Amino acid sequence: MPTTAPDAPPAAGVAGAGAPLVLVVAVALTDADGRVLLARRPPGKAMAGLWEFPGGKVQPGETPEAALVRELREELGIDTETACLAPLSFASHAYPGFHLLMPLFACRRWRGRAEGREGQALAWVRPESLRDYPMPPADLPLVPVLRDWL
């Protein structure tokens, strides 16, 4: 097993131990047909063109559930309650310059029709087709979890 010195720099492209932790929350919105909603990152944003589970950053003093309710209203124009969010899994991924921690919630109940309010395309995707959509590295490990759950 290889070892590294305690003060060795992180590998290229990997956030080190002192990198800021960024808490981002995501949701697997699942419709009555068992399809999951994906949103495509719009041009001008980091990782533009990649598909992701809807969500966003948790603000200081905000719970992950409250952040998700807020993000769904702002980004998709739908309303849900924290009681309708069930913790499903999480992703932990080192990006250059920061480490992302992303709890993934499942949601099957909301009000309204999802629409991309920030210029993002949306797609309702069958679980077996999720791998056909290019995703950010942090989202990829969540795909098998969803396929097994659904």
Side-chain angles (χ1 to χ4, degrees), residues 22-27 39 41 45 52-59 62-76 100-105 118 120 139:
V22 176
L23 180 59
V24 173
V25 66
V27 66
R41 296 186 61 82
K45 283 198 170 189
E52 64 185 359
F53 301 105
K57 287 185 182 176
V58 177
Q59 301 299 322
E62 195 173 41
T63 65
E65 295 86 350
L68 198 47
V69 168
R70 175 184 52 75
E71 288 284 348
L72 291 175
R73 188 177 314 112
E74 292 173 1
E75 291 185 9
L76 302 176
L100 181 90
L101 183 62
M102 183 169 62
L104 176 70
F105 288 83
E118 296 180 349
Q120 73 276 41
D139 289 60

Side-chain angles (χ1 to χ4, degrees), residues 1-96:
M1 181 165 140
T3 59
T4 58
D7 56 356
V14 176
L21 181 67
V22 176
L23 180 59
V24 173
V25 66
V27 66
L29 283 174
T30 308
D31 70 7
D33 293 328
R35 299 174 303 170
V36 177
L37 184 68
L38 293 181
R40 191 171 196 183
R41 296 186 61 82
K45 283 198 170 189
M47 295 185 255
L50 296 181
W51 294 87
E52 64 185 359
F53 301 105
K57 287 185 182 176
V58 177
Q59 301 299 322
E62 195 173 41
T63 65
E65 295 86 350
L68 198 47
V69 168
R70 175 184 52 75
E71 288 284 348
L72 291 175
R73 188 177 314 112
E74 292 173 1
E75 291 185 9
L76 302 176
I78 61 173
D79 289 309
T80 192
E81 308 295 327
T82 58
C84 296
L85 302 172
L88 184 60
S89 187
F90 74 94
S92 179
H93 186 81
Y95 283 107

Side-chain angles (χ1 to χ4, degrees), residues 135-150:
M135 294 183 171
D139 289 60
L140 290 173
L142 301 172
V143 170
V145 172
L146 275 173
R147 287 196 341 228
D148 289 349
W149 178 68
L150 295 170

Side-chain angles (χ1 to χ4, degrees), residues 103-126:
L104 176 70
F105 288 83
C107 181
R108 293 181 185 262
R109 295 185 62 188
W110 63 89
R111 291 175 303 283
R113 184 168 183 250
E115 58 184 25
R117 290 189 160 182
E118 296 180 349
Q120 73 276 41
L122 302 178
W124 288 100
V125 181
R126 298 219 169 272

